[in-house]
Amino acid sequence: MSKTEPMEVVENLSIDEGLYSRQLYVMGHEAQRRMAKSNILIIGLNGLGVEVAKNIILAGVKSVALHDNKPVSFEDLSAQFYLTQNDIGSSRAIVSAPKLSELNPYVPVSVVSGDLLSHDLSQYNVIVLIDTSMDLQLQVAQLCRHHGSSLIIADVLGAFGRVFCDFGESFTVYDIDGEIAPSSMITQITKGYPAVITVLEENRHSLSTGDTVSLSDIEGMTELNGLEVEVTVKDPFMFEIPIDTTGYTSYLRGGYVKAIKKPVSISFSPFSLSLSHPGEIVCDAMKCDRAPSLHVAFRAYYMFVEREKRCPIAGRVSDSEIFTAIAHEIVKTERERERESEKETKVESVIYNEDIFSRFSLSCRGIIAPIAAYMGGVVGQEVLKAASGKFMPIRQWFYYDILDALSTTPLTEEEVAPINSRYDSYIMLFGKQLTFSLQDLRVFLVGAGAIGCELLKNFALMGVGCGERERERERNGKRERERGAIYVTDMDRIEKSNLSRQFLFRSKHINHLKSETAGNAVKEMNPDIHTVAYDTKLAPESESFFNDDFFESLNVVFTALDNIEARLYVDQRCLFYHIPLLESGTLGAKGHTQVVVPGITEHYGATRDPPEKSFPVCTLKHFPNQIEHTLQWAREWFEEIFIQTPEDCNKYLQGGNAFEVSLASQQNMKLDTLTRVSEALGEGKPKHFKDCVVWARLRFEELFFSRIQQLLHSFPLDRLTATGTRFWSGAKKPPHPLSFSSTDPLHTEFILSVAILRAYVYNIPVPEVFIERSETSGVEAAEKYLSELIVPVFSPSDGVRIPTTEEEAKNENPRERGGGGGGGMVDVDAECKKILQSLPPPSLPFLHTIEFDKDNDNQMRVVTACSNLRARNYNIEEADLYKSRGIAGKITPAIATTTALVSGAVCLELLKVLQKKEREKLQNSFVNLALPLFTGMEPEPPSYHTVTVKGEPYKWSQWDRIDISNPNITLKELITLLDEEYGVSLSMLSSGVSILYSDFMNKKKIQERMGMNLKDLVVTVNKKEVPPEQKYIILELVANDSNTLDEVELPYLRLRLQ
């Protein structure tokens, strides 16, 4: 049995949500608590071992013990980021432990010294073996089976990696994929057997036959509420349940169906048995044919070491011959054994790749940072699976290789011979020439968050930007000298929630710049690295800073960004300057990488993700049916009250005409704005905290009682549509008003949290009793404030227009909204003038605005309470603060394991780009560590336009352009050039939105412009000087074939100015 804690044992363990915030959206609280009860032993602290230790310590296991009697060698420095040249000869575990212990104050790190097998291994829930002998692996595997500990054996040997998992005879997986259980809104249930349930056409139910679902909130056929049943799927919107509803009450409206995720039990084979009977092997889906050969190759490696008492020498052909012979012995033995047992298995039919055996021997020395990071992500996640029961484990082997990154033909033994350098592992794989070329690279890293930290670590260990050799290049007409460097930019400062996955940062760095702190941290890993830190946003407005000279000095750009807009802008820069772009990103346990090579692959923006889902306005305002709807509504209310209103008030308080100018630009919203300003600065302006509490109570009445009463008055429950169907059906859930109760915790939470933020807006002190937020004291004090308040009685009005469709909602007149008050039109200008005259004279102090911060608990309490009250109005399942923060804050789930993996994968692509590998050898990756799934595919080529130029086909892509290097070329000379080179006549030439030339201009203007050089022409037409540092002008042209007069689509024109 695997030693995982029963669910009830971990329920009450506290979790630091501030630290693990982003990770909790991946793992969940239950899994996090299980991890916090798990003791882990890591045996082997080479580059892979330290990556695994880092990832699981950041994740928050109970404790980590380290064992490694091996001394530090030069090979270790290529991937083990906590070792230096001064540590050579010392114990890898002892040197690493103090630095690993800094990663997480909740995870104690200890060292197990001496003979491993003399220690009590039963105290560990998970044991990880790395860089160990086969004999030790077999012994520890047997002990783990005996003690019920989960076992993971992992290795990186040069260009190859493997993982083996054994979590016992019966291991429970509580959530196989981590995906949110599908949930849909019901629109119809039939009577009969089996009953057929139909869901909203807007969303597929995403169920499979055999899934178990729960039914709830059904009106009419209430007998089904609370039932859990298996479904049989009919189509994407209908399924059957095995219940006879003939005698049930007729279905009226509403209801939800939600899939129930059930735990599954899986079994594992012991290590000794799996060696010869590996079963199905997990690997890159595009390289499955290599897995059997790699399984044999790893076995051959350990046999080689046992016989020769050493590892194969990098590049040595004689060792390769011995190694291949051993591999053949293994294959022969296994096949004979299977024939003897008269069983036909997969081994019998496998076709082994002879070249893999040879390349394995030649390239199995050393361990480099990118592979260590990749495999460290895989192994780290398997440790967390064993500790938590979250996600499906590897069953049972995983193999990985980077053969496509190696030289096409094996390098000579001399070229790959180590030289007692920290880069020896790279030399043994890629040779001296490529290894040392890394040091001269000039890299631009955009983003210094989680992926950025991992990339910088890899760069330091690879030697990227570490060279002292200077090179000359021309800049602004001068010859300048430059050397390898890494430029990193990030506007953000470090927050507590960053510390669980951005491993270069510590608590002492909170509020420091990410770019600067990360750059300084990696200098401790490799003092030779040259980093330059910026806090400037890479955007159109910073093009004078990150200018032509800057981009033209770069060799490659890496992105470590968290939004599509920024990625697309970087892509455009790389497209223009013809710079390789290496992109990576994560979403929880999922990760991706993309390699972009000028002229070879499509650029990043060539394919777009679907736009982010948005909710219809009328759904948010009047007809929510999901918690996402109520949270979005709460966010918008928060921004109106605590951001927009204070900003509008401050514009008025500044005096002058700025406020009236602002009003004039707001069209039909100006009356709304003035009404809010009048209320905020007039009679509604609070003087004491009591006033804030009273104001919050009145907002409760307005939002959750009066508006709902008005809605139901306008649309009674029995209302029918023009077609005779119920108005309140389908996606429209009928609400009910909430009557305030001081004994309801949610009601008082809204009052207190809103009052506290309103007090901050007006700089009013908050009494200590409310700051402490105890269960009773704050409520009792608030009740005293409210005891004398008489809440006005609300009476619904006739004639109030409430939009019921998206089109009506967009065109809604703000003065005709439901919520109290009669219908009727308002003279907006007259009303605005009246309010302006009633406002107090502008004066200080200004009001405080509260920019929404999802990590601020005081703000999230307001949003959560507001959202849950509206959810309660509409009988929608409420969400706690943690879930609300994730949805309202649009938090991207993140975990260190996936981050490490993608950083390794994308750095391996850098090595291919530098070798100018053909497109078929490049790889875009997608992984899902939860499943687990690993897949890679070659990048798509650029999309080409084909036109006819001078009678011949002319192909061009987004990477192409027409370059003009003569800065003095005139318009007339350009027209001649286009005719001679491309056989086209110029029809139109433009710069941005300005037309410089068109054949329909009047002849006089054309004649004037023909003799002008293009730069002067651009300045004249745009009436704006070209900045002196700008090296290029971009021109768009429309041209026609000179003979046929057919339009010919050509790429843009780039004019070089200097």
Side-chain angles (χ1 to χ4, degrees), residues 136-356:
L136 183 62
Q137 292 172 21
L138 289 166
Q139 292 183 72
V140 174
Q142 189 173 4
L143 287 171
C144 286
R145 274 274 162 167
H146 176 71
H147 297 312
S149 301
S150 294
L151 169 71
I152 299 172
I153 299 173
D155 278 303
V156 170
L157 302 176
F160 310 92
R162 72 157 183 173
V163 181
F164 170 80
C165 295
D166 177 11
F167 297 172
E169 294 179 3
S170 178
F171 179 80
T172 301
V173 182
Y174 296 97
D175 183 350
I176 62 172
D177 57 14
E179 300 295 334
I180 297 173
S183 177
S184 302
M185 193 172 181
I186 298 170
T187 60
Q188 186 57 257
I189 306 175
T190 64
K191 282 193 173 187
Y193 180 87
V196 178
I197 297 180
T198 305
V199 302
L200 275 178
E201 290 187 3
E202 301 163 11
N203 298 299
R204 296 166 178 256
H205 54 59
S206 302
L207 299 172
S208 300
T209 296
D211 284 351
T212 301
V213 301
S214 65
L215 303 172
S216 62
D217 295 328
I218 298 169
E219 292 187 42
M221 201 175 286
T222 56
E223 296 92 337
L224 294 178
N225 285 330
L227 294 185
E228 295 184 3
V229 292
E230 283 194 4
V231 304
T232 300
V233 172
K234 295 189 68 177
D235 64 33
F237 306 100
M238 298 172 65
F239 59 87
E240 297 175 345
I241 57 174
I243 293 178
D244 187 351
T245 58
T246 303
Y248 287 10
T249 311
S250 295
Y251 173 78
L252 181 61
R253 66 168 71 89
Y256 291 94
V257 55
K258 184 175 183 180
I260 298 174
K261 304 184 81 169
K262 292 189 173 182
V264 297
S265 181
I266 57 176
S267 62
F268 293 79
S269 297
F271 177 61
S272 57
L273 178 62
S274 291
L275 280 171
S276 56
H277 299 81
E280 187 174 344
I281 297 173
V282 179
C283 60
D284 184 329
M286 305 301 290
K287 301 178 181 178
C288 289
D289 58 318
R290 299 181 186 177
S293 301
L294 290 173
H295 186 72
V296 171
F298 268 89
R299 292 180 64 188
Y301 171 84
Y302 287 106
M303 291 178 67
F304 182 103
V305 172
E306 183 179 351
R307 292 181 187 180
E308 303 295 324
K309 308 304 178 187
R310 63 174 175 83
C311 302
I313 302 300
R316 182 165 294 179
V317 176
S318 59
D319 279 0
S320 175
E321 293 170 349
I322 297 171
F323 186 96
T324 302
I326 294 173
H328 288 161
E329 289 178 25
I330 295 171
V331 173
K332 181 180 178 182
T333 301
E334 290 306 317
R335 286 181 169 166
E336 287 177 352
R337 185 185 333 190
E338 294 302 330
R339 281 194 290 269
E340 288 172 5
S341 62
E342 297 182 351
K343 294 179 180 178
E344 187 168 325
T345 66
K346 190 175 180 179
V347 176
E348 185 71 37
S349 61
V350 165
I351 298 175
Y352 292 97
N353 188 323
E354 295 288 326
D355 185 56
I356 285 181

Side-chain angles (χ1 to χ4, degrees), residues 548-761:
D548 296 323
D549 281 329
F550 175 80
F551 272 100
E552 289 186 335
S553 74
L554 301 175
N555 301 109
V556 64
V557 174
F558 283 77
T559 53
L561 296 162
D562 59 1
N563 69 87
I564 299 297
E565 182 183 357
R567 287 183 170 109
L568 290 172
Y569 177 76
V570 177
D571 175 58
Q572 287 301 309
R573 295 285 84 192
C574 291
L575 191 64
F576 181 77
Y577 295 104
H578 286 193
I579 304 171
L581 170 65
L582 294 168
E583 146 68 14
S584 55
T586 67
L587 181 66
K590 302 170 186 174
H592 76 271
T593 66
Q594 182 175 347
V595 54
V596 176
V597 181
I600 304 299
T601 72
E602 67 179 7
H603 65 102
Y604 174 81
T607 55
R608 300 286 182 91
D609 292 329
E612 185 178 345
K613 182 179 179 181
S614 60
F615 301 121
V617 176
C618 65
T619 298
L620 293 178
K621 289 184 176 180
H622 306 294
F623 309 114
N625 56 61
Q626 303 171 20
I627 194 66
E628 289 82 2
H629 299 157
T630 65
L631 279 164
Q632 179 66 29
W633 180 85
R635 268 289 307 269
E636 292 178 2
W637 184 80
F638 178 98
E639 290 174 4
E640 176 185 304
I641 299 302
F642 299 111
I643 301 176
Q644 190 59 53
T645 297
E647 285 181 351
D648 290 334
C649 289
N650 289 341
K651 287 178 184 176
Y652 172 76
L653 294 173
Q654 284 176 346
N657 65 348
F659 181 63
E660 293 191 23
V661 171
S662 175
L663 284 178
S665 68
Q666 295 182 31
Q667 301 296 328
N668 64 339
M669 291 302 296
K670 62 182 180 180
L671 184 53
D672 253 10
T673 299
L674 272 170
T675 302
R676 286 188 282 104
V677 170
S678 175
E679 192 274 340
L681 298 179
E683 293 183 0
K685 182 177 181 179
K687 298 180 176 58
H688 308 286
F689 185 72
K690 175 183 177 180
D691 301 330
C692 298
V693 174
V694 169
W695 185 88
R697 170 64 183 89
L698 294 175
R699 294 293 76 70
F700 178 101
E701 195 72 12
E702 173 199 352
L703 297 173
F704 310 114
F705 183 82
S706 301
R707 287 191 184 181
I708 302 301
Q709 274 205 328
Q710 181 62 57
L711 183 62
L712 290 172
H713 179 78
S714 298
F715 303 107
L717 291 177
D718 57 359
R719 184 185 179 101
L720 300 178
T721 66
T723 60
T725 59
R726 294 188 185 90
F727 178 85
W728 293 106
S729 62
K732 292 184 175 70
K733 289 174 62 71
H736 65 275
L738 301 181
S739 297
F740 178 77
S741 171
S742 61
T743 62
D744 189 315
L746 180 58
H747 294 198
T748 54
E749 171 72 359
F750 176 83
I751 302 299
L752 295 179
S753 59
V754 169
I756 288 172
L757 287 195
R758 185 165 175 83
Y760 175 80
V761 167

Side-chain angles (χ1 to χ4, degrees), residues 49 111 220 261 283 411 635 662 810 815 844 920 970:
V111 175
K261 304 184 81 169
C283 60
L411 300 174
R635 268 289 307 269
S662 175
K810 289 180 179 178
R815 302 319 302 161
L844 297 177
E920 291 75 16
T970 64

Side-chain angles (χ1 to χ4, degrees), residues 948-965:
T948 300
V949 171
K950 302 180 78 172
E952 298 292 332
Y954 174 75
K955 289 174 61 177
W956 62 276
S957 74
Q958 290 289 320
W959 291 106
D960 294 303
R961 59 182 172 239
I962 298 173
D963 270 313
I964 305 293
S965 57

Side-chain angles (χ1 to χ4, degrees), residues 881-905:
L881 184 71
Y882 158 76
K883 182 177 181 180
S884 298
R885 192 193 309 275
I887 298 171
K890 298 181 180 179
I891 289 178
T892 301
I895 192 168
T897 50
T898 321
T899 303
L901 186 151
V902 298
S903 77

